[in-house]
Amino acid sequence: MLDFEQKLAIMETFPQLERRDVSLGRVNFHYAGSVTDKKNVGFHFHPNGNGYVYAAEIGGVETDDKGFVNVRDYGADELRDLVERSIRSLSDDGTSLGEGQEAGGLEEKWRNPEGEELSLQFEDDMWYLFAGLNLEMAFETREEAVEYLQEEGFSRV
């Protein structure tokens, strides 16, 4: 588990976020570039270890009724990943893209050795795999979709 200072140090590595000290020694991290009314990516980080990250727009992440996840027991990589996904979910393109995915490239073509082609598309915070117009599968993350495609002998075109 990260301590208060370690969590703050990670949050401060995101240049998009503005640190705002609030009452009782707590710290919020404001994202002015949000296209929604939600501006706090990091909420009430406290010296006792508690802290929350907004994740209501991220599929597959359990949140409280306000859309936040308690990151008290998160490690450094988990916290970084969640904050990055939160920022992306509140950004202009509204997507939480996987590593290496470009903001404008929400569709990927994949082909197997037999020449069959599938299309991996990101929509509504999910990754959908299509064969022509037919939906084959849906995945919560790009990583799950890529793993499946590679297991089935497909490679990115």
Side-chain angles (χ1 to χ4, degrees):
M1 178 175 87
L2 301 170
D3 67 26
F4 178 63
E5 294 302 323
Q6 291 169 317
K7 288 176 185 166
L8 294 183
I10 289 170
M11 297 300 291
E12 289 172 346
T13 65
F14 292 91
Q16 310 92 316
L17 301 180
E18 174 189 335
R19 177 182 169 149
R20 293 189 174 172
D21 295 336
V22 293
S23 62
L24 304 174
R26 296 176 298 189
V27 179
N28 290 348
F29 289 89
H30 185 83
Y31 177 45
S34 176
V35 296
T36 74
D37 62 342
K38 292 292 182 188
K39 304 290 184 198
N40 279 329
V41 167
F43 182 69
H44 285 179
F45 280 81
H46 190 276
N48 72 8
N50 269 337
Y52 301 87
V53 172
Y54 184 72
E57 308 301 322
I58 302 172
V61 177
E62 282 192 45
T63 64
D64 64 17
D65 58 342
K66 295 180 182 178
F68 287 93
V69 174
N70 188 325
V71 295
R72 172 189 270 287
D73 297 324
Y74 274 46
D77 291 338
E78 291 174 299
L79 179 57
R80 257 186 227 97
D81 179 62
L82 184 62
V83 171
E84 180 179 297
R85 293 171 66 197
S86 177
I87 291 169
R88 287 185 177 166
S89 75
L90 297 172
S91 295
D92 287 336
D93 59 14
T95 60
S96 344
L97 303 175
E99 183 178 321
Q101 182 68 23
E102 298 172 12
L106 299 177
E107 180 178 359
E108 301 174 357
K109 299 290 184 186
W110 290 74
R111 189 174 296 132
N112 67 9
E114 291 79 38
E116 299 170 315
E117 192 171 283
L118 298 176
S119 172
L120 182 61
Q121 299 178 21
F122 183 81
E123 185 176 320
D124 298 327
D125 212 24
M126 292 285 290
W127 291 92
Y128 297 98
L129 188 60
F130 289 93
L133 297 176
N134 297 323
L135 176 63
E136 293 294 315
M137 296 192 76
F139 303 90
E140 289 185 359
T141 67
R142 181 178 180 279
E143 290 76 22
E144 291 172 330
V146 168
E147 181 179 333
Y148 170 80
L149 285 161
Q150 290 172 341
E151 287 175 359
E152 294 297 317
F154 284 81
S155 56
R156 190 165 175 192
V157 177

